[in-house]
Each structure stands twice: as C-alpha cells, then as structure tokens.
Amino acid sequence: ILKKLLVILLLFGAGWAYCAEPWPLELFTSDPKAVLEAAGKVIAPAGANAIVIDDQLLLRINEQGRASQTQRWISRVITDRGVTLFSQISQVKLTWRKDEVKMRARVITPDGQPHLLDPSTISETGIPTQLQGMYTDMKQVMAPLPAVAKGSVIEVEIEITTQEVLDPAGPWSRWGLPTEVPVAHFSAVVETPQ
C-alpha cells in the first residue's frame, strides 16, 4: 500500500476559473456540428481570447507507484490571439523516468468540418537549460494543431505513462491551469490501489 500517494500543485497564475457544468459530449466521436453548438452556449468573460470549456485530469497510480496521467480538454477560440495561443499542444517528457507521451486532437472549424491531428507532425526536442554547463534530459513533445481559426473548437487528449518513479512511496506531479484564458470547468480524479 502506498503511504504517500501524490502531491498535486495547481498553478492558477493569472488565469480565470469559474464554475460551469462538465462537458456533456464525448470527445473525438461526437457530431462536429453538435460540438460547435454546445461550445457556443458556454459564455466566455468579456475580453477573453479563448475559453477552456472543460479540463479533466485523471491520475492513476498502480501498486508499484508508477503513474499514468490523462489530460483531456475542450476549448473554443475567440480572437486572433486565441488562435496563436491554441495553435499547438505540448507536453514535457522526463526521459529518465522513461515517460511515454501520446497525443491526439480534433479541431472543428466554424463551418463544422473536423480536422484530426496528424501523428506524423508530433515532434520531440530537448529543452535547453538557463545555466551554462548544465544539461538535462527533459524533452518537449509538441504538435501543431490543424486549421485553428477564430470560432474553432479544439478537443485534446494527452496521455503520459511513467515507467519509473522518483520516490518509492509514489510520484510527485505538478499540473497547472492555463494562465491567459478562462477555464469554465475543471475536474481532477486520482485513482489508487485499494
């Protein structure tokens, strides 16, 4: 039995968060026009460049303390600045923990056309450090999102599976909400062994 399960640090920064209902439709499989209609009913605060309609985080920890994390969100782009903010997705990968990162996304343009993330566009690059002579094996996995435009609705899922753990009593994770756009609904679930 794990004594220390997990520490989650939520970084709200300058972002807005307010209470709304969870997203009612299945990501990636729901009718694109129904998604646009439902997303259009979520009111964004005045001046928002985009809105994260629903952000879900699921952390699973097994008996050995290895973790898997699934983050799923749906957002609506409102302005040109929002197009820039949501033109790509990225995730840090810790190679010493043997992290495996999987990404998928669907962009629904205002005309109701779905555009799926092309897996061949996902790339991985090293993250430079700010200290001369200091090296890291951290990587950034990123992908450009297709056809993002004002009025688009974006569905994203990022899965991280960790093969190694930092602490035998359980992993430590940090996760933050977006800082430049409001988040209408957020939920986090942690599943652990009995």
Side-chain angles (χ1 to χ4, degrees):
I1 295 178
L2 301 173
K3 293 180 183 173
K4 184 177 12 174
L5 297 175
L6 184 68
V7 173
I8 302 173
L9 175 61
L10 296 175
L11 301 175
F12 285 93
W16 306 305
Y18 62 95
C19 186
E21 295 297 317
W23 183 247
L25 303 174
E26 277 295 314
L27 297 186
F28 308 111
T29 58
S30 294
D31 176 68
K33 293 193 181 196
V35 171
L36 283 175
E37 183 180 337
K41 292 178 182 176
V42 178
I43 305 300
N49 294 306
I51 182 169
V52 175
I53 296 168
D54 194 18
D55 194 343
Q56 304 168 6
L57 178 65
L58 171 61
L59 298 167
R60 289 187 179 107
I61 303 169
N62 68 16
E63 290 283 344
Q64 293 76 39
R66 292 185 183 88
S68 67
Q69 170 183 311
T70 303
Q71 182 183 1
R72 297 166 57 100
W73 73 88
I74 183 162
S75 56
R76 181 169 43 95
V77 177
I78 300 168
T79 67
D80 288 330
R81 174 73 180 139
V83 171
T84 301
L85 291 171
F86 285 85
S87 64
Q88 70 175 10
I89 54 175
S90 66
Q91 176 63 51
V92 172
K93 173 181 175 178
L94 301 175
T95 56
W96 68 268
R97 285 195 330 197
K98 302 179 184 172
D99 283 356
E100 296 175 16
V101 177
K102 295 178 184 173
M103 298 177 157
R104 67 180 182 149
R106 178 172 79 158
V107 177
I108 302 170
T109 50
D111 61 359
Q113 294 302 306
H115 304 268
L116 297 177
L117 173 65
D118 178 354
S120 71
T121 65
I122 299 171
S123 63
E124 186 176 303
T125 184
I127 299 176
T129 64
Q130 301 297 321
L131 302 172
Q132 186 175 2
M134 177 75 80
Y135 300 96
T136 179
D137 66 349
M138 288 177 33
K139 306 283 185 185
Q140 186 161 6
V141 181
M142 62 181 72
L145 293 177
V148 176
K150 288 194 291 189
S152 295
V153 174
I154 303 168
E155 301 168 318
V156 174
E157 180 179 81
I158 300 176
E159 293 182 56
I160 306 166
T161 304
T162 300
Q163 301 303 317
E164 301 292 330
V165 293
L166 177 62
D167 182 336
W172 293 81
S173 292
R174 180 177 69 187
W175 184 87
L177 291 173
T179 58
E180 288 194 46
V181 299
V183 177
H185 183 265
F186 168 75
S187 63
V189 175
V190 179
E191 295 180 356
T192 62
Q194 293 293 352

